[in-house]
Amino acid sequence: MATHNSMNDDDLRSLLGTSNMENEIMVNKDDYNQKNPNYLPDDQEHINKKTKVSWVLIVTTISTSLGCSIPAGYNTGVVNSPAEILKQWCNETIVYRYDVHFSPAQLDGLWSILVSVFLIGGIVGGIAGGKLANSLGRKGTIKLIYLINLVSGILFFSSKSLAQVELFFIARILSGLSAGITMAMVPMYLLELSPSDKSGVFGVIFTVGLNFGVVLSQFLGLENILGNESLWHYLFSLYGILVLLALPTLKFVPESPKYLYTVCNEHNKALSELSNLRGMPISDISWELENLLVSPERWTLKRVINEPYSRKAIIITCIVMLGQQLSGINAVFYYSTSIFRNAGMSTADAQYGNLGAGIINFIVTILSTTFIDNFGRKTLLIFSSAVCVFMLTALMISMQLSSIGTIPGISYFLIVFVIGYVLFYGFGLGPIPFFIGSELTDVGPRPIIMSAMSVANWSGNFLVGLTFPFVNLILKQYSFLPFIVFTIFLIIFTWKVVPETKPSLNQESTDSE
């Protein structure tokens, strides 16, 4: 811990691979990025102009939520509740089709594969997401996500009636692939469409959809709803209905004007799309595009790493996202059911308690849209992370005291700390890592940086899923300790390295005078 606290500016420059002179340039770039990373520094007179949120932007947000964000969250959370039922189905199906009998250990291994291929698909989708966003366009990639989600939903539904574990396996890969592309593409797309003074709101909306999908799958996965032997195939495929609802709205979904302007060099088409998006004449909104940073060179991962400001952006984006995944949120939900049972709840009530924690996370994420543009991203991230460290520490100590049984009623404090952690996680640590990468850089390198963010998310998720059972076995009541350490590192890193990305109207007005 002392090592982190003793970090000085030279250490951080070394970490980021920058010299003092480069660091000086990057500070100026960060100063400019605080205001708006999409505009040239001499265009500050336009940044404090405001544009309205049109019905086209609202429809687009709803469409991408139904067709992309909610299915990604849904497929992330759906696999937990009916796990034992699915294991039994896999066993019976393999015996029926191949006359092969699996031992309990082999069955657990098969189930682990079916669970983990979703994460592998997410990593592959994250890698592909940035390239697809530039080759197919933002709208073209949205269409591809809708198609993959529909195909995977059909395969999930058919796997039971056709008695094919292989179809379930393919559906898990495809749903993970779609979720990975979604994570790389949708937050970036919504930020490119949003007015600059509403960027925080539209950045969080992706996380709102993601969390709603998780909560919806937890609710529908209850045994008395769809999480049972006869209805599980409906549970796994139900998100396909949301995609079908989103399909008619595709004709209203615009291509990103910033993508058309900077990547495709189609200036007239970009202005036309922007006019349609804003519901305003071109003469009133052309300033949004006229001074965008346009590069004649194609952006590649090598160029992103070689350019000082984009290198810093990709490092910050990946570390912040890994910090989110290593902050303990998955471990808290892993423990929450047993914590609720220890407090005297029945198994069924404990499942409802776990669902309640998910609903709190979802509600707080919605509430964060009302204040995220009033506070700095950096401030919210540090505050949220610091409170999460406190809650995790208190939870770890309480679990130890509860195992000893020296303090009566300590189990109720466990519930308070679980809810407290989930509550404050949703204030900043949950939503901000998904869109801060888009705010750190301009349109050119953005797809590559957001693709790296998606890979960091899925890799961190995979790492936690792979190692946490062993950590839990070794550390027992102290299993939250590694997450506390990682979150403390994230706080120090954010404080020392991460620039503020929220546009400041006061600063902009001052600069333009």
Side-chain angles (χ1 to χ4, degrees):
M1 196 68 62
T3 305
H4 298 311
N5 287 327
S6 63
M7 269 187 172
N8 55 37
D9 291 340
D10 290 333
D11 294 328
L12 292 169
R13 290 190 192 103
S14 176
L15 170 68
L16 296 172
T18 58
S19 66
N20 288 334
M21 184 175 292
E22 285 174 332
N23 192 64
E24 211 169 49
I25 294 170
M26 287 163 58
V27 168
N28 294 334
K29 180 74 181 176
D30 293 338
D31 209 33
Y32 142 62
N33 277 342
Q34 286 186 45
K35 297 168 177 63
N36 195 312
N38 296 317
Y39 292 94
L40 293 170
D42 60 359
D43 192 45
Q44 292 300 317
E45 61 184 277
H46 296 307
I47 295 179
N48 59 345
K49 290 185 179 181
K50 292 186 178 181
T51 50
K52 63 182 181 180
V53 175
S54 67
W55 68 268
V56 174
L57 183 53
I58 293 171
V59 169
T60 301
T61 303
I62 294 171
S63 180
T64 54
S65 294
L66 290 174
C68 303
S69 310
I70 296 175
Y74 190 94
N75 282 308
T76 300
V78 73
V79 78
N80 295 325
S81 297
E84 293 304 319
I85 293 170
L86 264 294
K87 284 183 188 179
Q88 184 63 31
W89 172 76
C90 288
N91 191 36
E92 292 173 356
T93 302
I94 290 170
V95 170
Y96 168 73
R97 293 193 67 85
Y98 305 109
D99 195 26
V100 173
H101 296 264
F102 276 13
S103 68
Q106 289 174 323
L107 196 58
D108 286 340
L110 174 62
W111 181 245
S112 296
I113 292 172
L114 292 175
V115 171
S116 61
V117 291
F118 176 79
L119 300 177
I120 294 170
I123 293 172
V124 174
I127 294 170
K131 188 172 181 62
L132 289 170
N134 277 346
S135 59
L136 300 179
R138 309 325 194 218
K139 184 173 181 177
T141 308
I142 294 290
K143 291 179 179 178
L144 177 63
I145 293 170
Y146 286 12
L147 176 63
I148 295 174
N149 281 335
L150 280 175
V151 171
S152 63
I154 291 169
L155 291 178
F156 274 131
F157 188 82
S158 304
S159 60
K160 183 181 180 183
S161 58
L162 297 177
Q164 289 274 6
V165 176
E166 294 87 346
L167 290 182
F168 190 89
F169 178 85
I170 295 170
R172 286 289 290 170
I173 292 177
L174 289 177
S175 59
L177 182 69
S178 169
I181 300 171
T182 294
M183 206 162 286
M185 235 291 299
V186 174
M188 170 181 69
Y189 177 63
L190 292 178
L191 251 74
E192 289 181 356
L193 298 185
S194 68
S196 59
D197 59 314
K198 297 286 190 299
S199 60
V201 173
F202 285 91
V204 171
I205 281 176
F206 167 75
T207 317
V208 171
L210 203 66
N211 289 342
F212 178 74
V214 172
V215 170
L216 182 63
S217 68
Q218 287 178 331
F219 172 71
L220 295 177
L222 294 173
E223 188 176 358
N224 57 346
I225 301 181
L226 296 178
N228 52 62
E229 188 176 350
S230 58
L231 298 175
W232 66 260
H233 56 304
Y234 289 98
L235 172 66
F236 274 83
S237 59
L238 196 64
Y239 65 90
I241 295 175
L242 301 179
V243 182
L244 290 174
L245 291 174
L247 284 178
T249 66
L250 269 176
K251 63 180 179 179
F252 302 111
V253 172
E255 182 53 88
S256 165
K258 292 177 181 177
Y259 161 76
L260 291 171
Y261 196 92
T262 60
V263 179
C264 301
N265 204 27
E266 297 180 13
H267 293 183
N268 291 333
K269 187 175 180 180
L271 288 167
S272 176
E273 284 280 23
L274 183 61
S275 176
N276 178 55
L277 175 65
R278 299 284 182 253
M280 299 169 68
I282 291 176
S283 58
D284 290 345
I285 45 82
S286 60
W287 62 270
E288 288 194 51
L289 298 179
E290 285 173 352
N291 288 281
L292 279 170
L293 290 166
V294 180
S295 172
E297 298 180 43
R298 180 172 166 267
W299 281 93
T300 62
L301 179 60
K302 182 179 179 181
R303 185 182 172 194
V304 167
I305 293 172
N306 287 338
E307 294 276 354
Y309 90 93
S310 58
R311 178 170 67 240
K312 181 177 183 181
I314 198 171
I315 289 173
I316 288 173
T317 301
C318 290
I319 289 180
V320 169
M321 178 49 78
L322 278 172
Q324 183 216 59
Q325 287 299 302
L326 300 176
S327 67
I329 185 65
N330 294 323
V332 167
F333 277 107
Y334 177 87
Y335 263 116
S336 59
T337 302
S338 62
I339 287 171
F340 293 141
R341 279 204 307 266
N342 291 337
M345 294 183 179
S346 65
T347 300
D349 288 341
Q351 289 179 337
Y352 284 113
N354 195 32
L355 174 63
I359 291 173
I360 289 171
N361 188 28
F362 168 62
I363 292 173
V364 172
T365 308
I366 293 177
L367 292 177
S368 69
T369 61
T370 64
F371 60 74
I372 193 131
D373 279 322
N374 297 326
F375 299 94
R377 318 287 194 244
K378 182 174 183 175
T379 303
L380 279 176
L381 191 56
I382 291 174
F383 170 74
S384 174
S385 301
V387 178
C388 285
V389 166
F390 171 79
M391 292 294 175
L392 279 181
T393 305
L395 184 59
M396 184 177 68
I397 294 171
S398 299
M399 288 175 69
Q400 178 63 22
L401 294 174
S402 178
S403 67
I404 299 172
T406 54
I407 304 176
I410 191 69
S411 56
Y412 294 103
F413 283 99
L414 294 174
I415 296 176
V416 172
F417 295 135
V418 167
I419 300 300
Y421 175 89
V422 171
L423 185 69
F424 285 97
Y425 174 88
F427 279 169
L429 188 52
I432 290 174
F434 285 105
F435 68 87
I436 195 170
S438 286
E439 293 190 331
L440 283 169
T441 188
D442 51 64
V443 179
R446 187 176 289 160
I448 295 170
I449 289 171
M450 293 302 288
S451 185
M453 178 277 294
S454 181
V455 173
N457 175 279
W458 293 105
S459 299
N461 198 330
F462 184 77
L463 179 65
V464 171
L466 187 67
T467 60
F468 183 69
F470 300 103
V471 171
N472 186 32
L473 187 66
I474 295 168
L475 298 181
K476 296 183 172 57
Q477 287 84 4
Y478 297 102
S479 56
F480 286 120
L481 189 58
F483 302 113
I484 294 171
V485 173
F486 285 127
T487 311
I488 290 172
F489 169 78
L490 177 62
I491 293 170
I492 296 169
F493 180 83
T494 304
W495 173 46
K496 287 280 190 179
V497 179
V498 178
E500 181 51 70
T501 61
K502 183 185 83 70
S504 172
L505 292 177
N506 291 334
Q507 288 178 339
E508 288 153 7
S509 299
T510 301
D511 290 343
S512 64
E513 288 175 358

